[in-house]
Amino acid sequence: LENRINMTFPHDKLEEILYHASYQPQDSNLLKRNKEYIYWGYAIMNAAYSLYLYQYEQNLSEGKLSSKLACAHRHFQDSIFKKYGLEDFVIKSKGEINKLHPDIAEKLIVLMYQQYGFKKVYDFLFPFFKLFDDRDNIDYKTLLQEYAQSKKVAPIYEIIGSFGPEHEKKYICKVIIKKMTAIGEAIGKKKAEKEAAKQFALKYKIQLVNNKKNNVNNKQIRILSARRKKELADTMKLLHLNEKFISYRQMDEVLMHRSYANEHRNLGYCSNARIAIVGANVLLMLCVEYIFENYDTVQVNIKREHGFLLKEHNLVKSIPEDSIKFLLKSTQAENEKTRMRLRIDILKSVIGMMWKNYIDQNDSMIAQFVKEFAYNVLSISAKDKKLDFTTFLQEVIQTFGWVITKKC
């Protein structure tokens, strides 16, 4: 496995992630950690892909960026799994021999992150992002139509089978061009045809054409006045930010609400909405790491715990009210709920922007600063957690092997 991916890991940790739950005997703590590694790996992939989309898909609105994030994870999981033949290394029971276990990809990503850091993971995932991004913009049926016309024939699509329940029936489609064929399957006949066209293009290496328009940036550059720089400096001081890790111009974007950006479309700036999505995913990734480092993960439910730590009314306490006073000039946000939302956007945007700088500059000092910044936010959030005496009592009972007798 190390030879295939050209990396080395502590062998005890590497072997642990290869165990499938069906293989016995296996430590229950190991089972739990493996399950949580899958979730952590998912968070790391999402953080990396959100940053990629922010940097290389500048025309995407925040809504479309979020949509691409939501549907891409399974593709990256399967692509990594297939490229490196990870199934060869899964330790499983005889009953699982003919089944695939692609979630090993997420667990491998976690080990990579622990051993080498996020920049190494991002570089590892980048080719998968690029390939998916290129193919996602291809109309494969049109591509095949043009290819078939060059051969002076028409592509033939045939539905050759179906399976599954009626409400989500999968169809198997075969596409034929002269003596060349390919097969694809998907829910719905139209999607099956598209999948068959895609498989045909990949099988016969038909040149993929990127239909995306080139970004022509002819917008004016926003000039920061001395007064604006003073406002930005004050906000950075409030948030205890290091000027080495985030510039005034970047901080200006962090404080740029979409309402202002929409009214001044001639400016070469986007709002903080897109970078806030990056920050949200980075914060989730660091939150899982925070729990692993500071909690007894044998006793803690990772998803439930991060759900508490990332609650907005907890996070907002780490962002001073004064930090949004410059935003209020343009947004007219007077109610408390909207003011809270603005403060949360600032928090996530700051994290996302600094994390972008870490990747661009490959500076581990920035990564460490962001981690400490996020950990401080999470520790403030953790202080508000009320003691769960029921769970505590259950842990004591389990420790001593006691049994609860319920009597009214």
Side-chain angles (χ1 to χ4, degrees), residues 222 225-239 248 251-261 272 320-334 339 342-343 346:
R222 177 176 164 85
S225 65
R227 180 178 178 181
R228 181 58 173 171
K229 286 183 179 178
K230 175 67 166 58
E231 292 175 346
L232 297 171
D234 289 345
T235 303
M236 291 169 71
K237 187 176 180 179
L238 277 172
L239 299 176
Y248 283 136
M251 196 65 199
D252 192 42
E253 183 177 333
V254 164
L255 293 174
M256 184 77 68
H257 190 262
R258 66 170 66 87
S259 62
Y260 187 86
N272 63 10
E321 174 74 12
D322 286 350
S323 66
I324 65 166
K325 65 181 179 181
F326 311 122
L327 274 172
L328 297 180
K329 295 176 183 178
S330 61
T331 61
Q332 302 299 316
E334 295 299 333
R339 294 167 77 91
L342 292 175
R343 288 161 71 183
I346 291 173

Side-chain angles (χ1 to χ4, degrees), residues 6-241:
N6 196 28
M7 295 183 200
T8 58
F9 303 95
H11 283 189
D12 56 339
K13 288 190 174 183
L14 186 57
E15 187 173 56
E16 281 186 354
I17 71 163
L18 301 176
Y19 280 100
H20 184 260
S22 64
Y23 190 86
Q24 296 296 337
Q26 188 179 171
D27 187 281
S28 59
N29 295 340
L30 175 60
L31 284 172
K32 185 175 187 294
R33 186 162 67 254
N34 268 337
K35 184 177 180 181
E36 287 162 348
Y37 269 22
I38 294 170
Y39 184 72
W40 192 4
Y42 165 82
I44 295 170
M45 282 189 194
N46 263 19
Y49 189 49
S50 66
L51 182 57
Y52 171 88
L53 291 176
Y54 175 80
Q55 291 182 302
Y56 296 97
E57 289 273 16
Q58 295 181 7
N59 288 336
L60 281 182
S61 67
E62 60 266 27
K64 290 183 178 179
L65 195 154
S66 296
S67 296
K68 289 197 76 167
L69 272 172
C71 68
H73 164 257
R74 183 59 61 86
H75 171 84
F76 300 138
Q77 177 199 68
D78 292 344
S79 297
I80 295 167
F81 177 74
K82 290 174 183 177
K83 179 174 180 178
Y84 295 104
L86 299 183
E87 189 65 31
D88 296 346
F89 308 103
V90 178
I91 303 170
K92 54 195 173 184
S93 68
K94 292 180 180 179
E96 295 284 322
I97 290 296
N98 296 320
K99 298 179 182 178
L100 299 178
H101 306 85
D103 54 19
I104 187 178
E106 282 94 342
K107 294 188 283 184
L108 186 61
I109 289 295
V110 173
L111 283 196
M112 203 180 296
Y113 177 80
Q114 292 175 323
Q115 186 76 5
Y116 296 100
F118 184 86
K119 180 63 167 64
K120 183 78 170 181
V121 174
Y122 184 80
D123 292 343
F124 173 81
L125 292 171
F126 189 90
F128 296 100
F129 296 160
K130 184 69 170 62
L131 189 60
F132 177 72
D133 188 44
D134 288 343
R135 291 178 179 174
D136 192 44
N137 291 278
I138 296 295
D139 182 345
Y140 284 98
K141 291 194 72 173
T142 300
L143 182 66
L144 251 64
Q145 185 69 33
E146 293 172 353
Y147 175 77
Q149 286 176 355
S150 71
K151 301 291 184 182
K152 297 183 179 179
V153 294
I156 300 171
Y157 293 92
E158 295 179 357
I159 299 298
I160 60 174
S162 63
F163 60 93
E166 285 298 325
H167 66 282
E168 53 181 18
K169 181 174 287 187
K170 280 192 173 184
Y171 291 89
I172 304 170
C173 179
K174 181 178 182 180
V175 60
I176 307 167
I177 299 178
K178 288 195 170 181
K179 293 184 179 180
M180 297 179 288
T181 64
I183 292 175
E185 63 179 56
I187 297 175
K189 294 180 181 180
K190 293 293 183 183
K191 289 184 179 179
E193 289 181 359
K194 290 180 180 179
E195 183 61 27
K198 177 180 177 180
Q199 294 305 321
F200 188 101
L202 299 178
K203 181 178 179 180
Y204 295 104
K205 296 181 172 60
I206 299 175
Q207 186 176 0
L208 301 178
V209 180
N210 195 329
N211 293 326
K212 287 188 292 185
K213 297 178 181 178
N214 292 328
N215 292 331
V216 180
N217 191 350
N218 58 0
K219 297 179 180 179
Q220 298 175 18
I221 298 299
R222 177 176 164 85
I223 297 174
L224 301 179
S225 65
R227 180 178 178 181
R228 181 58 173 171
K229 286 183 179 178
K230 175 67 166 58
E231 292 175 346
L232 297 171
D234 289 345
T235 303
M236 291 169 71
K237 187 176 180 179
L238 277 172
L239 299 176
H240 306 289
L241 297 178

